[in-house]
Amino acid sequence: MREPRMWIDGEWTTARSRGTREVVNPASQEVLARAPEATAEDVSAAVGAARAAFDSGPWGKTTAQDRGKLLFEVARGIRARAAELAATDSRNMGKPIVEAEFDVADAANCFEYYGGLATKIHGDTLNVPDNALSIVVREPVGVVGQIIPWNYPLLMAAWKLGPALAAGCTAVLKPAEQTPLSALMLAEILASVELPRGVVNVVTGDGPVAGAALVSDPRVDKVAFTGGLETGRIVIKTAADTVKRMSIELGGKNPNVVFADADFEAAVDGALFGAFANQGEVCSAGSRLLVEKKIYDRMLGALLEKVTRIKLGDPLDRATKMGPLVTAEHREKVLSYIEIGKREGRLLCGGGAPQRPDLAKGFYVEPTIFADVDNRARIAQEEIFGPVLTVIPFEGEEEAVRIANDTPYGLAGAVWTRDVFRGIRVLRQIRAGILWLNTYHPTYNEAPWGGYKQSGFGRELGPYGIEHYLETKQINVNLTEAPLGWY
Ligand code: NAI
Ligand code: MG
């Protein structure tokens, strides 16, 4: 039994209460580890370490070049342990190993991207109507509290820590209680590159205790949160008490819009990949498929035929295309939406847990498709976060845009058409932050990630992502060598 420890102030430590939580393999229910269950006091110690490291440690004296080099070393460290990291996320979270390998490569690339960007942060010099020099300098925002979800355990840690460290911040990272293992391995890598003590701290524990302690601590300058809408609202309210900077990403109910003139086979592929990659446990999943009426029946037929290729199985098997859901509790939530869907739409395929003895111990759900759904239905409005696709017919561009935008969310979406003018025209009308034309899901470390509306605010990744880890200061330098003479 592994008993990993937390990383606080450069030390490996258990929770002060010595409490632990079982970390479970959702494919087998095997207990993989007992991770420390951080109390508010543990989080407070981590924040204190991050505060001291920011205010008076050697970190503040590092140059951007030093920090950039460290981030390149982190990327190398990740690549050196790539197989182990991928297997850990796959085992702990249930995602197919092939997808986990992509995540690990992406995480290394993310640290490298920010390693390069560290030296490109710069301010400005302004022309002002005075004999003065007005300079704008960028400074790290300070201590950041970073709370991440379980669907991309390592990658979300990279998205959070990469820009924070490039900017010169110090951090307390709290992985999701279900999936702490790869973040703790990342802490080992960070320890091996000799980051000064306290610059990064990783605390494991649940949301309402450890997460809440992080968000409410007045010594934390900024909160970066990725997770569900309900939790996001709590985080925003709590962080407001101490006027923290915030960047918030809260999921979506994303429209994947297929016009009749699209490359049909490509659109079918995109519809399935958009909805079912990572078991559908993706904030940007194309969970609402909007199909033009002219090709609606043909599309349903093609989905039904091709969905059979999504092979459920052991996440560590390279042939597996879909693993189990993250926990029994989450599966219950998804199954309850499927029951709602049976009243709200026409069940095309799936509809429950697979009846296969080899999968009986895992939290599996069949890829499920509902056709003929009204966009006002709950399964079209609420984020299910599982392998459930809702298909909605539409007639013409205007209706497509209206339905696409008829959601409280605004994270992602896609359009499939061979008419590039229409493609761009429709994409420009969709109120969401991440959009694709004739593809679904590719994301880039270079490009801004985040949502409109209730999908949150602030952007991660790219140069946009580092903005939220920087303060902006003006310094006005008087060039007149004489008293002001006002009085
Ligand atoms: P959650 O939003 O509760 O958990 C995300 C993170 O927030 C975890 O690290 C958790 O420990 C932390 N957290 C929970 N309560 C907190 C609190 N009061 N203060 C501070 N931190 C807190 O997500 P959960 O419960 O696992 O899933 C619920 C739903 O949220 C899912 O069904 C899905 O719809 C959505 N979700 C969206 C994600 C996204 O990528 N946008 C990721 C995970 C879940
Ligand atoms: Mg929760």
Side-chain angles (χ1 to χ4, degrees):
M1 176 62 50
R2 287 181 56 196
E3 298 215 354
R5 288 187 284 175
M6 300 187 283
W7 195 44
I8 298 175
D9 201 13
E11 311 275 345
W12 296 100
T13 154
T14 55
R16 293 181 179 202
S17 67
R18 303 208 159 265
T20 58
R21 170 188 296 262
E22 289 187 346
V23 180
V24 175
N25 178 340
S28 63
Q29 301 193 35
E30 173 203 358
V31 178
L32 296 169
R34 279 183 229 286
E37 186 70 5
T39 61
E41 292 70 43
D42 296 309
V43 174
S44 178
V47 172
R51 191 74 253 171
F54 185 81
D55 291 339
S56 49
W59 185 240
K61 302 200 172 53
T62 56
T63 64
Q65 203 182 13
D66 297 333
R67 294 196 298 274
K69 282 182 181 160
L70 269 172
L71 292 175
F72 281 113
E73 278 183 50
V74 174
R76 266 198 297 280
I78 290 173
R79 291 209 182 89
R81 295 179 70 179
E84 193 190 342
L85 283 162
T88 299
D89 268 1
S90 179
R91 237 184 233 119
N92 187 179
M93 184 271 168
K95 68 173 66 205
I97 184 73
V98 177
E99 293 191 32
E101 287 167 357
F102 270 101
D103 296 353
V104 172
D106 237 14
N109 292 340
C110 180
F111 278 105
E112 244 164 29
Y113 177 85
Y114 281 108
L117 199 63
T119 53
K120 282 96 193 162
I121 300 165
H122 61 83
D124 227 335
T125 319
L126 307 176
N127 283 318
V128 289
D130 230 340
N131 186 25
L133 193 59
S134 185
I135 5 182
V136 178
V137 295
R138 309 305 306 274
E139 296 180 344
V141 86
V143 175
V144 301
Q146 304 182 310
I147 297 175
I148 59 174
W150 42 262
N151 55 339
Y152 289 89
L154 180 71
L155 190 58
M156 289 298 103
W159 285 20
K160 296 285 183 281
L161 289 174
L165 295 175
C169 295
T170 62
V172 178
L173 175 78
K174 195 200 81 63
E177 57 273 24
Q178 301 87 346
T179 55
L181 300 181
S182 58
L184 291 171
M185 289 170 66
L186 178 62
E188 289 170 13
I189 293 167
L190 289 162
S192 74
V193 304
E194 287 172 29
L195 213 56
R197 65 188 293 166
V199 171
V200 175
N201 307 269
V202 179
V203 293
T204 54
D206 78 340
V209 175
L214 190 52
V215 178
S216 59
D217 195 310
R219 297 167 297 172
V220 172
D221 298 294
K222 177 217 157 79
V223 166
F225 173 82
T226 302
L229 179 56
E230 292 307 318
T231 307
R233 289 193 178 113
I234 297 170
V235 166
I236 292 166
K237 284 182 191 149
T238 310
D241 285 340
T242 42
V243 195
K244 289 183 183 13
R245 287 91 189 99
M246 291 182 229
S247 43
I248 303 282
E249 203 261 81
L250 307 176
K253 193 73 191 180
N254 311 292
N256 193 5
V257 183
V258 184
F259 285 98
D261 71 342
D263 177 329
F264 185 77
E265 288 309 320
V268 173
D269 268 5
L272 293 172
F273 186 65
F276 297 127
N278 208 47
Q279 297 78 238
E281 294 166 318
V282 187
C283 51
S284 54
S287 49
R288 283 188 301 149
L289 182 66
L290 278 49
V291 183
E292 195 162 17
K293 279 184 182 155
K294 264 183 270 181
I295 56 161
Y296 185 71
D297 289 334
R298 188 174 163 219
M299 174 61 80
L300 296 184
L303 291 172
L304 201 49
E305 192 206 312
K306 236 181 180 176
V307 76
T308 55
R309 297 197 194 174
I310 302 177
K311 188 175 170 291
L312 271 66
D314 177 356
L316 290 175
D317 180 344
R318 302 195 73 79
T320 292
K321 299 286 183 202
M322 186 181 282
L325 299 188
V326 66
T327 57
E329 183 194 8
H330 187 56
R331 176 165 71 168
E332 280 316 305
K333 177 190 155 179
V334 172
L335 290 176
S336 77
Y337 271 110
I338 290 177
E339 290 315 307
I340 293 167
K342 287 174 184 169
R343 297 192 292 273
E344 291 183 330
R346 174 161 65 91
L347 180 68
L348 206 61
C349 63
Q355 300 303 312
R356 269 173 51 188
D358 61 319
L359 303 181
K361 279 200 166 156
F363 309 132
Y364 291 87
V365 171
E366 297 170 300
T368 297
I369 303 179
F370 288 104
D372 310 348
V373 180
D374 187 284
N375 195 58
R376 300 273 72 207
R378 284 186 65 191
I379 59 162
Q381 289 289 314
E382 297 172 24
E383 186 180 52
I384 299 173
F385 223 66
V388 182
L389 175 62
T390 295
V391 192
I392 304 165
F394 72 86
E395 184 100 65
E397 232 175 274
E398 213 173 292
E399 193 182 24
V401 170
R402 187 183 58 70
I403 297 173
N405 284 331
D406 182 12
T407 162
Y409 290 106
L411 187 62
V415 169
W416 299 78
T417 175
R418 283 200 173 94
D419 179 346
V420 69
F421 298 101
R422 169 155 76 186
I424 300 290
R425 191 163 62 230
V426 172
L427 288 172
R428 289 299 303 266
Q429 292 175 77
I430 297 180
R431 306 233 334 122
I434 304 151
L435 290 156
W436 294 283
L437 183 60
N438 296 329
T439 186
Y440 208 99
H441 272 333
T443 65
Y444 305 103
N445 286 311
E446 292 76 6
W449 182 274
Y452 285 30
K453 295 156 72 179
Q454 293 190 38
S455 290
F457 46 86
R459 292 293 177 272
E460 298 188 271
L461 300 180
Y464 311 87
I466 210 162
E467 283 297 315
H468 299 278
Y469 291 94
L470 294 167
E471 287 284 12
T472 306
K473 177 183 283 180
Q474 60 167 303
I475 300 177
N476 298 309
V477 182
N478 169 34
L479 299 176
T480 303
E481 250 184 305
L484 180 63
W486 188 275
Y487 299 112

